[in-house]
Coordinates of all heavy atoms in Angstrom, one line a residue:
L249 N -110.3 48.0 -141.6 CA -109.3 47.6 -142.7 C -109.3 48.8 -143.6 O -110.3 49.2 -144.1 CB -109.9 46.4 -143.4 CG -108.8 45.8 -144.5 CD1 -107.5 45.3 -144.0 CD2 -109.5 44.6 -145.2
R250 N -108.0 49.2 -144.0 CA -108.0 50.3 -145.0 C -107.3 49.7 -146.1 O -106.2 49.1 -146.1 CB -107.1 51.3 -144.3 CG -107.7 52.2 -143.4 CD -107.0 53.5 -142.9 NE -105.7 53.3 -142.3 CZ -105.6 52.9 -141.0 NH1 -106.5 52.7 -140.2 NH2 -104.3 52.6 -140.6
I251 N -108.1 49.9 -147.3 CA -107.6 49.5 -148.7 C -107.6 50.7 -149.5 O -108.0 51.8 -149.1 CB -108.5 48.4 -149.3 CG1 -109.8 48.8 -149.6 CG2 -108.5 47.1 -148.4 CD1 -110.7 47.9 -150.3
R252 N -107.1 50.7 -150.7 CA -107.0 51.7 -151.7 C -108.1 51.4 -152.8 O -108.1 50.4 -153.3 CB -105.6 51.8 -152.3 CG -104.6 52.1 -151.3 CD -103.7 53.3 -151.6 NE -102.8 53.5 -150.5 CZ -102.7 54.6 -149.9 NH1 -103.4 55.6 -150.2 NH2 -101.8 54.8 -148.9
D253 N -108.8 52.6 -153.2 CA -109.8 52.4 -154.2 C -109.0 52.6 -155.6 O -107.8 52.7 -155.5 CB -110.9 53.5 -154.0 CG -110.5 54.9 -154.3 OD1 -109.3 55.2 -154.7 OD2 -111.3 55.8 -154.0
P254 N -109.6 52.4 -156.7 CA -109.0 52.5 -158.0 C -108.2 53.8 -158.3 O -107.2 53.8 -158.9 CB -110.2 52.5 -159.0 CG -111.4 51.8 -158.3 CD -111.1 52.2 -156.8
E255 N -108.6 54.8 -157.6 CA -107.8 56.2 -157.7 C -106.7 56.2 -156.7 O -106.1 57.3 -156.7 CB -108.8 57.3 -157.5 CG -109.8 57.5 -158.7 CD -111.0 56.6 -158.6 OE1 -111.5 56.3 -157.5 OE2 -111.4 56.0 -159.7
G256 N -106.5 55.3 -155.9 CA -105.6 55.3 -154.8 C -105.8 56.0 -153.5 O -105.1 56.1 -152.6
N257 N -107.2 56.4 -153.3 CA -107.7 56.9 -152.1 C -107.8 55.8 -151.1 O -108.3 54.7 -151.5 CB -109.0 57.7 -152.3 CG -108.9 58.8 -153.4 OD1 -107.8 59.5 -153.3 ND2 -109.7 58.9 -154.3
K258 N -107.5 56.1 -149.8 CA -107.9 55.1 -148.7 C -109.4 55.0 -148.5 O -110.1 55.9 -148.3 CB -107.2 55.6 -147.5 CG -105.7 55.3 -147.5 CD -105.1 55.8 -146.2 CE -103.5 55.7 -146.3 NZ -102.9 56.1 -144.9
L259 N -109.7 53.7 -148.4 CA -111.2 53.3 -148.1 C -111.1 52.6 -146.7 O -110.3 51.7 -146.5 CB -111.8 52.3 -149.1 CG -112.1 52.9 -150.5 CD1 -112.6 51.8 -151.4 CD2 -113.0 54.0 -150.4
L260 N -112.0 53.1 -145.9 CA -112.1 52.4 -144.5 C -113.2 51.4 -144.6 O -114.5 51.7 -145.0 CB -112.5 53.4 -143.5 CG -112.5 53.0 -142.0 CD1 -111.1 52.5 -141.6 CD2 -112.9 54.2 -141.1
C261 N -112.8 50.1 -144.4 CA -113.8 49.0 -144.4 C -114.0 48.4 -143.1 O -113.2 48.5 -142.2 CB -113.2 47.9 -145.4 SG -112.7 48.6 -147.0
T262 N -115.1 47.7 -142.9 CA -115.5 47.0 -141.6 C -115.3 45.6 -141.8 O -115.8 44.9 -142.7 CB -117.0 47.3 -141.3 OG1 -117.2 48.6 -141.2 CG2 -117.5 46.6 -140.1
V263 N -114.5 45.1 -140.8 CA -114.2 43.6 -140.9 C -115.5 42.8 -140.3 O -115.8 43.1 -139.2 CB -113.0 43.3 -140.1 CG1 -112.7 41.8 -140.0 CG2 -111.8 44.0 -140.7
L264 N -116.0 41.8 -141.1 CA -117.1 41.1 -140.6 C -116.7 39.7 -139.9 O -117.3 39.5 -138.8 CB -118.0 40.8 -141.8 CG -118.5 41.9 -142.6 CD1 -119.1 41.4 -143.9 CD2 -119.3 42.9 -141.9
N265 N -115.7 39.1 -140.3 CA -115.2 38.0 -139.7 C -113.7 37.8 -140.1 O -113.3 38.4 -141.1 CB -116.0 36.7 -139.9 CG -115.9 36.2 -141.3 OD1 -114.9 36.0 -142.0 ND2 -117.1 36.1 -141.9
M266 N -112.9 37.1 -139.3 CA -111.5 36.8 -139.7 C -111.0 35.7 -139.0 O -111.4 35.1 -138.0 CB -110.6 38.1 -139.5 CG -110.6 38.6 -138.0 SD -110.0 40.3 -137.9 CE -108.7 39.9 -136.9
S267 N -109.8 35.2 -139.6 CA -109.0 34.0 -139.2 C -107.5 34.4 -139.3 O -107.2 35.6 -139.8 CB -109.3 32.8 -139.9 OG -108.8 32.7 -141.2
L268 N -106.7 33.5 -138.9 CA -105.2 33.7 -139.1 C -104.9 33.9 -140.6 O -104.0 34.5 -141.0 CB -104.4 32.7 -138.5 CG -104.3 32.6 -137.0 CD1 -103.5 31.5 -136.4 CD2 -103.5 33.9 -136.6
A269 N -105.7 33.2 -141.5 CA -105.4 33.2 -142.9 C -106.2 34.2 -143.8 O -105.8 34.5 -144.9 CB -105.6 31.8 -143.4
G270 N -107.4 34.6 -143.3 CA -108.2 35.4 -144.2 C -109.1 36.2 -143.3 O -109.2 36.3 -142.1
A271 N -110.1 36.9 -144.2 CA -111.0 37.9 -143.6 C -112.2 38.1 -144.5 O -111.9 37.8 -145.8 CB -110.4 39.2 -143.2
C272 N -113.2 38.6 -144.0 CA -114.3 39.0 -144.9 C -114.7 40.4 -144.4 O -114.8 40.6 -143.2 CB -115.6 38.1 -144.7 SG -117.0 38.6 -145.6
F273 N -114.9 41.4 -145.3 CA -115.1 42.7 -144.9 C -116.0 43.4 -145.9 O -116.3 42.9 -146.9 CB -113.7 43.5 -144.8 CG -113.0 43.7 -146.1 CD1 -113.3 44.7 -146.9 CD2 -112.1 42.7 -146.5 CE1 -112.7 44.9 -148.2 CE2 -111.4 42.9 -147.7 CZ -111.7 44.0 -148.6
S274 N -116.6 44.5 -145.5 CA -117.5 45.2 -146.3 C -117.0 46.7 -146.4 O -116.3 47.2 -145.6 CB -118.9 45.2 -145.7 OG -119.0 46.1 -144.7
C275 N -117.2 47.1 -147.6 CA -116.8 48.6 -148.0 C -118.0 49.2 -148.7 O -118.7 48.6 -149.5 CB -115.7 48.5 -149.0 SG -114.1 48.6 -148.1
Q276 N -118.1 50.6 -148.4 CA -119.2 51.2 -149.1 C -118.9 51.4 -150.6 O -117.9 51.5 -151.0 CB -119.4 52.6 -148.5 CG -119.9 52.6 -147.1 CD -120.3 54.0 -146.6 OE1 -119.9 55.0 -147.2 NE2 -120.9 54.1 -145.5
G277 N -120.0 51.3 -151.4 CA -119.9 51.5 -152.7 C -119.7 50.2 -153.6 O -119.5 49.1 -152.9
N278 N -119.6 50.3 -154.9 CA -119.5 49.1 -155.7 C -118.0 49.0 -156.2 O -117.6 49.8 -157.1 CB -120.4 49.2 -156.9 CG -120.4 48.0 -157.8 OD1 -119.5 47.1 -157.7 ND2 -121.3 47.9 -158.8
L279 N -117.2 48.1 -155.7 CA -115.9 47.9 -156.0 C -115.7 46.6 -156.8 O -114.6 46.2 -157.1 CB -115.0 47.5 -154.7 CG -115.0 48.6 -153.6 CD1 -114.3 48.3 -152.4 CD2 -114.5 49.9 -154.2
S280 N -116.7 46.1 -157.5 CA -116.7 45.0 -158.3 C -115.6 45.0 -159.4 O -114.8 44.2 -159.6 CB -118.0 44.7 -158.9 OG -119.0 44.3 -157.9
E281 N -115.7 46.2 -160.3 CA -114.8 46.2 -161.3 C -113.3 46.3 -160.9 O -112.4 45.7 -161.5 CB -115.1 47.4 -162.2 CG -114.4 47.6 -163.6 CD -114.6 46.3 -164.4 OE1 -115.8 45.7 -164.4 OE2 -113.7 45.9 -165.0
H282 N -113.1 47.1 -159.9 CA -111.8 47.2 -159.3 C -111.3 45.8 -158.8 O -110.1 45.6 -159.1 CB -111.8 48.3 -158.2 CG -110.5 48.3 -157.5 ND1 -109.3 48.8 -158.1 CD2 -110.2 48.3 -156.1 CE1 -108.4 48.9 -157.2 NE2 -108.8 48.5 -156.0
L283 N -112.1 45.1 -158.1 CA -111.6 43.8 -157.6 C -111.4 42.8 -158.7 O -110.7 41.9 -158.6 CB -112.6 43.3 -156.6 CG -112.8 44.2 -155.4 CD1 -113.9 43.7 -154.5 CD2 -111.6 44.2 -154.6
R284 N -112.2 42.9 -159.8 CA -112.0 42.1 -161.0 C -110.7 42.3 -161.6 O -110.0 41.4 -162.0 CB -113.2 42.3 -162.0 CG -114.3 41.2 -162.0 CD -115.1 41.4 -163.3 NE -116.4 41.2 -162.7 CZ -117.4 42.2 -162.4 NH1 -117.0 43.5 -162.6 NH2 -118.5 41.9 -161.8
T285 N -110.3 43.5 -161.7 CA -109.0 43.9 -162.4 C -107.8 43.8 -161.4 O -106.7 43.9 -162.0 CB -109.1 45.2 -163.0 OG1 -109.4 46.2 -162.1 CG2 -110.2 45.2 -164.1
T286 N -108.0 43.9 -160.2 CA -107.0 43.9 -159.1 C -107.1 42.8 -158.1 O -107.6 43.0 -157.0 CB -106.9 45.3 -158.3 OG1 -107.1 46.3 -159.3 CG2 -105.7 45.5 -157.6
P287 N -106.7 41.6 -158.5 CA -106.9 40.4 -157.6 C -106.0 40.4 -156.3 O -106.4 39.6 -155.4 CB -106.7 39.2 -158.4 CG -105.7 39.7 -159.4 CD -106.0 41.1 -159.7

Side-chain angles (χ1 to χ4, degrees):
L249 181 65
R250 287 190 299 279
I251 65 171
R252 302 235 177 234
D253 70 7
E255 290 78 38
N257 302 313
K258 287 183 181 178
L259 290 177
L260 186 61
C261 307
T262 301
V263 177
L264 305 173
N265 66 53
M266 57 196 238
S267 72
L268 281 175
C272 179
F273 63 90
S274 68
C275 265
Q276 290 187 354
N278 187 352
L279 299 177
S280 298
E281 190 57 37
H282 176 55
L283 297 172
R284 258 188 222 96
T285 59
T286 312

